[in-house]
Amino acid sequence: MDQHIGNDRLGVVTAPRTLHIERTLLGPVERVWAYLTQSDKRAKWLASGPMADFVGGPVKLTFQHSHLSSEKTPAEFQKYEGSGFEGKVLRYDPPHLLVISWPDDGQDSEVTFELSAKGSDTLLKLTHTRLASTDSMVSVASGWHAHLGVLIDHLEGNQPAGFWSNYQRVRSEYSRAIKE
């Protein structure tokens, strides 16, 4: 499933119920860390909300997809507007490692963000484990793919491309790749 489209390559299934995506992000690790941990910066590409800076602390994310790009949210996705969840910080080692719990279909999955310098830029390794099902993996993979596209646009100083159109574009690719 390692299809390449520049910095837009598909993520890969690395173990059962586990998705891994890598992206090279413009700027130093500390800058990218701020986009992961500071609500105002995180809101630009993922979701707003407080995140504790210690293990065991709370994470509360609220999604406002209509704020991620100028694209109008399609009717079938309106139900996600303003949705959110509460999780916990499981590991916290600034500015290189953040692990949070992420509710998934009645159970907790885990998201790991690993940051390392790649010259003057940052290599992000995102791993989402303990996903509930194949359908969940497809949805989560498509969501992370689209969210990371918005993050890349912000870091590069570009107007973000359409979040939902990107999500829909890659969803069928992930569905084929993950269900094979």
Side-chain angles (χ1 to χ4, degrees):
M1 182 173 88
D2 193 15
Q3 299 179 9
H4 292 273
I5 314 168
N7 205 24
D8 195 33
R9 69 187 178 280
L10 292 181
V12 295
V13 175
T14 56
R17 300 174 26 203
T18 300
L19 171 74
H20 181 80
I21 300 176
E22 292 187 11
R23 296 290 185 264
T24 300
L25 304 174
L26 183 67
V29 169
E30 294 78 12
R31 178 179 183 221
V32 175
W33 181 260
Y35 273 85
L36 294 178
T37 59
Q38 295 175 14
S39 179
D40 61 329
K41 288 183 171 50
R42 192 178 349 94
K44 294 178 181 183
W45 71 277
L46 181 63
S48 63
M51 178 181 291
D53 60 357
F54 57 92
V55 172
V59 174
K60 183 173 182 177
L61 298 180
T62 303
F63 294 88
Q64 295 291 335
H65 294 97
S66 63
H67 298 166
L68 300 181
S69 69
S70 60
E71 179 180 63
K72 184 175 169 44
T73 301
E76 72 252 41
F77 299 115
Q78 291 282 336
K79 62 186 175 189
Y80 299 113
E81 209 51 39
S83 68
F85 70 81
E86 293 184 25
K88 288 188 177 176
V89 174
L90 303 175
R91 292 182 66 194
Y92 190 83
D93 184 14
H96 297 287
L97 180 68
L98 173 66
V99 182
I100 62 172
S101 64
W102 187 285
D104 181 40
D105 201 20
Q107 66 181 41
D108 277 347
S109 62
E110 293 180 8
V111 181
T112 300
F113 301 92
E114 295 176 81
L115 304 178
S116 59
K118 186 174 181 181
S120 60
D121 294 327
T122 300
L123 175 61
L124 165 67
K125 295 179 181 180
L126 184 152
T127 306
H128 199 142
T129 63
R130 300 174 55 200
L131 290 159
S133 65
T134 301
D135 288 340
S136 180
M137 287 181 70
V138 170
S139 179
V140 164
S142 305
W144 280 122
H145 195 107
H147 282 290
L148 290 172
V150 173
L151 174 59
I152 289 167
D153 286 338
H154 275 290
L155 292 171
E156 294 179 353
N158 298 323
Q159 183 71 6
F163 174 82
W164 287 113
S165 57
N166 193 17
Y167 175 89
Q168 290 172 309
R169 176 181 64 83
V170 298
R171 186 171 174 83
S172 61
E173 295 176 49
Y174 277 112
S175 184
R176 277 192 306 276
I178 289 173
K179 292 181 178 181
E180 286 180 343

